[in-house]
Amino acid sequence: MKRIGILTGGGDAPGLNAVIRAAVKTALNEYDCEALGIKNGYDGFLDEDGIIPLGRSEVRGILPRGGTILGAANRGNPYARKVIRDGKEVTIDVSDEIVKGIEKLKMDALLVLGGDGTLHIAHELAQKGVPVIGVPKTIDNDIGGTEITFGFDTALNIATEAIDRLHTTAESHHRAMVIELMGRDAGFIALNAGVSGGADVILIPEIPFKFESIMAKIRQRAERGRKFSILAVSEGAKMQGGKQVFSRKGDEIYVPRLGGIGQVVAEHIEKEGYESRVTVLGHLQRGGTPTAFDRWLATRYGAAAVRLAARGGFDRMVALQCGEITDISLEEATAAPKRVNTNGDAVVTARNVGISFGDE
Ligand code: F6P
């Protein structure tokens, strides 16, 4: 193994730089192998200045830094790239150009740090002979076959701290405070932060809610003298028989953008006579320095990905299972997204301590 490439696809997540650093150091220290960075996801293969050398000096000091030194692009799908042809915007498949680019660069392996979309593309490129290895990244924690993705722990800590802060102002003003959290179709951030922050109501996509049930919880608290409530609402949560709320429609390039359910819930609570406010935590969940856990996990993933490359374990993804790093096929990793187990101990525990999911 003489040369590896590293790219970061999709939205950023805390810990990307820690993976890059660990991969570069492992490649140099253990295999005397050089590393190249691909800028802005798969787009870097198509751009003139899209490839950069990654040596010791490039990765020095990046362990605690959020974001990605390589840049990210969450619309960089080579199978559907928007270009202008004859003055018109058209969508074309440039995957063969990417394959050629990788061959030209003589890469023995390409480490793809990404979420569901990026890893799907990696698996498709593997079918064209590209020696890809996936590393599971996303604050949403929704990738199959791994217990946890890097980035999730940081988002969880930020969300929990936000809930703690909302608690004091909620109590002072006797308000229902709604916090809308990220996660797309997976409720892990809202569930785990809601439990950790002592929320009264948690709404997640996996458990559709009804307003009567939310109001019953708020009223019950008020009757017991607790005149404030905290509601942790996943951006993908939806009413029973209803639809998710989007702030932007999707197309062949952009995935639809969720957003607005927190406002819908807060408005309903106000209509029922309880003062309410909504906070949308948004990209604060993705920015900034990774937690110690994410740095540790990201470092283990980065080093393991290079070891896997050296063994020729392509079209596979590093994964955490039973606390140990292992690897699974990209096919398995991308077959079905991970969702909250609605009968699992996390949900049962939340119910045990009196948290309402708005469904009963
Ligand atoms: O998948 C990560 C994530 O942060 C989701 O939780 C969120 O819905 C989405 O990305 C936001 O994407 P963007 O950066 O395009 O706003």
Side-chain angles (χ1 to χ4, degrees), residues 70-287:
L70 294 175
N74 57 358
R75 50 187 168 72
N77 181 354
Y79 290 89
R81 187 176 160 91
K82 261 190 186 160
V83 291
I84 306 292
R85 290 266 162 91
D86 302 327
K88 266 196 195 157
E89 196 176 63
V90 289
T91 306
I92 55 165
D93 177 351
V94 291
S95 57
D96 286 334
E97 279 176 56
I98 304 259
V99 176
K100 271 188 218 142
I102 294 168
E103 284 166 2
K104 207 168 133 205
L105 288 163
K106 295 196 168 38
M107 282 180 186
D108 299 307
L110 174 65
L111 309 194
V112 176
L113 286 43
D116 195 42
T118 308
L119 294 176
H120 258 109
I121 295 166
H123 178 52
E124 283 179 49
L125 289 174
Q127 311 319 301
K128 295 191 178 213
V130 178
V132 293
I133 291 198
V135 183
K137 165 240 68 165
T138 168
I139 64 163
D140 304 341
N141 197 28
D142 62 351
I143 297 178
T146 187
E147 274 155 29
I148 188 160
T149 57
F150 71 89
F152 173 65
D153 184 68
T154 306
L156 171 57
N157 276 279
I158 292 167
T160 303
E161 192 198 331
I163 294 175
D164 286 346
R165 288 177 183 278
L166 288 175
H167 243 112
T168 57
T169 174
E171 193 160 10
S172 308
H173 286 270
H174 320 293
R175 285 172 173 157
M177 299 299 269
V178 175
I179 180 163
E180 183 179 303
L181 298 164
M182 282 185 166
R184 279 196 223 273
D185 299 315
F188 294 105
I189 299 177
L191 172 61
N192 294 21
V195 171
S196 307
D200 307 295
V201 176
I202 296 175
L203 305 180
I204 56 173
E206 295 86 347
I207 305 179
F209 66 87
K210 44 188 181 189
F211 282 118
E212 308 89 87
S213 169
I214 297 173
M215 292 317 304
K217 179 72 186 172
I218 293 173
R219 271 190 213 106
Q220 183 205 55
R221 283 179 55 76
E223 278 157 20
R224 290 179 181 168
R226 309 297 282 156
K227 296 197 184 307
F228 73 96
S229 292
I230 302 287
L231 295 90
V233 179
S234 182
E235 62 181 358
K238 57 175 185 281
M239 244 200 305
Q240 289 181 8
K243 287 191 176 135
Q244 289 176 319
V245 180
F246 291 91
S247 63
R248 189 190 63 197
K249 277 192 184 155
D251 58 24
E252 69 235 290
I253 304 286
Y254 290 102
V255 292
R257 186 186 293 157
L258 285 156
I261 185 66
Q263 185 64 31
V264 173
V265 171
E267 278 171 15
H268 186 89
I269 296 170
E270 282 260 345
K271 264 196 225 139
E272 296 283 331
Y274 293 86
E275 193 177 5
S276 181
R277 295 286 188 275
V278 58
T279 301
V280 180
L281 200 55
H283 293 78
L284 286 173
Q285 292 159 97
R286 290 214 323 236

Side-chain angles (χ1 to χ4, degrees), residues 328-339:
I328 58 171
S329 70
L330 273 174
E331 187 171 10
E332 182 188 344
T334 56
K338 191 168 69 178
R339 298 287 180 254

Side-chain angles (χ1 to χ4, degrees), residues 340-358:
V340 169
N341 175 359
T342 55
N343 300 312
D345 91 279
V347 170
V348 172
T349 299
R351 292 194 197 274
N352 288 164
V353 298
I355 295 171
S356 164
F357 285 90

